Amino acid sequence: MSTNASSAPDPLVALGTLPGVPDAVDSVRKAVDRVYGHRVMRRRSNEITSEAALRGARGSAALSGADWALEEVRRRSDFGSESEARAVGAALRLTAEAGQLLSIWRQSPLRVLARLHLVAAADSADTVGRPRRHGEPVDEPLIELPLPDADEVAGRLEGLSQLIIAGSSAPALVTAAVVHGELLALRPFGSYNGLVARAAERIVLIGSGLDPKAICPAEVGHAEQGRAAYAAALDGYASGTPEGVAAWITHCGRSVELGVRESTAVCEALQRGAA
């Protein structure tokens, strides 16, 4: 993990005490509780979950350069014709797959990450579903951070895996933000790292119990804040400074809150009979 707090017994707990992070955690918790308490959730939660998945996939694809209108994502069935369509298709597949991997994540996060990349790439090439090796290129044009070499990637992935397997009392937001940020900084696969990182964030938020019904799509919020803000916050995480890491975690927290706002609007529309 790229942070000055890494020498602490539980670095995730330490990150949760950085300035501004406790407030972000509290704000996210209150927002999530509000949408879960909405009267529509008692009767139509499956519809909210399905709509949140679609909107989350659209947001994740937008951050990977395929900024399609929601209705275009909803109506399309062919996602194999060109790069933007492939990105949207990959995002949709990952969102569907994430819920199937919750039980494996805590025991074998590296296996889950490999599976996510395999699902995203939908390819049989021998570079798919495994971390990149020395000299292998990375296709991730929207992330401009220096690219760690294969040895650093392997070491940091193992460290991240051990943190997840060991478990932590850190808030779910902190763990999700670190998983997301670390995967973006490392770009361990030859392609679709952003989509995989955001799917992994989704898995943490759902599996932690913060968002068990998957109705708070952080991907929506990341997209709404814009690619420039996303990249700037990631730069802060990669810097390893307490201020930079805290800014990334609070950025992720705001993204969850915006996802909550999106699903709250869906609840309201269903309540009015308009959706």
Side-chain angles (χ1 to χ4, degrees):
M1 244 172 58
S2 177
T3 170
N4 293 341
S6 60
S7 60
D10 186 339
L12 297 178
V13 170
L15 295 181
T17 66
L18 291 173
V21 173
D23 288 342
V25 168
D26 185 57
S27 183
V28 165
R29 179 74 267 174
K30 289 176 179 176
V32 172
D33 286 347
R34 283 194 299 271
V35 72
Y36 270 83
H38 197 286
R39 66 175 63 187
V40 170
M41 284 295 296
R42 291 196 295 269
R43 297 175 289 109
R44 305 178 72 173
S45 64
N46 288 343
E47 292 173 71
I48 308 301
T49 296
S50 296
E51 191 64 21
L54 182 72
R55 294 174 186 231
R58 192 218 73 82
S60 191
L63 288 167
S64 287
D67 192 0
W68 288 15
L70 180 63
E71 292 312 312
E72 176 70 4
V73 178
R74 195 190 303 278
R75 74 169 187 82
R76 282 284 288 265
S77 58
D78 173 21
F79 297 102
S81 56
E82 45 84 31
S83 61
E84 286 194 9
R86 289 196 297 272
V88 174
L92 288 166
R93 291 192 299 274
L94 284 172
T95 301
E97 187 75 9
Q100 310 302 313
L101 299 172
L102 297 172
S103 63
I104 306 171
W105 175 253
R106 284 292 300 273
Q107 285 73 44
S108 185
L110 297 184
R111 179 181 164 195
V112 168
L113 293 175
R115 173 63 184 171
L116 290 174
H117 186 243
L118 187 67
V119 167
D123 194 329
S124 59
D126 67 0
T127 56
V128 171
R130 64 161 175 79
R132 55 188 167 83
R133 297 169 184 157
H134 292 288
E136 291 181 342
V138 174
D139 180 15
E140 203 72 41
L142 302 179
I143 304 297
E144 297 180 353
L145 294 171
L147 190 66
D149 66 25
D151 288 339
E152 182 178 353
V153 168
R156 287 170 61 177
L157 279 180
E158 182 60 30
L160 183 65
S161 175
Q162 291 305 314
L163 279 177
I164 294 164
I165 292 169
S168 174
S169 59
L173 172 64
V174 173
T175 304
V178 167
V179 167
H180 185 172
E182 195 72 356
L183 292 173
L184 279 178
L186 292 177
R187 283 146 291 163
F189 303 108
S191 60
Y192 296 114
N193 289 285
L195 294 175
V196 168
R198 292 183 288 275
E201 179 186 49
R202 168 179 282 266
I203 287 172
V204 174
L205 293 172
I206 298 170
S208 67
L210 177 66
D211 181 24
K213 293 183 182 294
I215 61 167
C216 307
E219 305 96 326
V220 167
H222 287 302
E224 186 171 333
Q225 293 185 85
R227 283 157 56 184
Y230 185 68
L234 178 62
D235 286 347
Y237 175 83
S239 75
T241 66
E243 297 80 8
V245 175
W248 170 251
I249 295 170
T250 57
H251 181 89
C252 291
R254 179 59 179 157
S255 296
V256 175
E257 291 185 66
L258 290 170
V260 167
R261 187 177 72 179
E262 185 90 352
S263 286
T264 301
V266 173
C267 287
E268 295 294 335
L270 287 171
Q271 187 167 280
R272 294 191 304 269

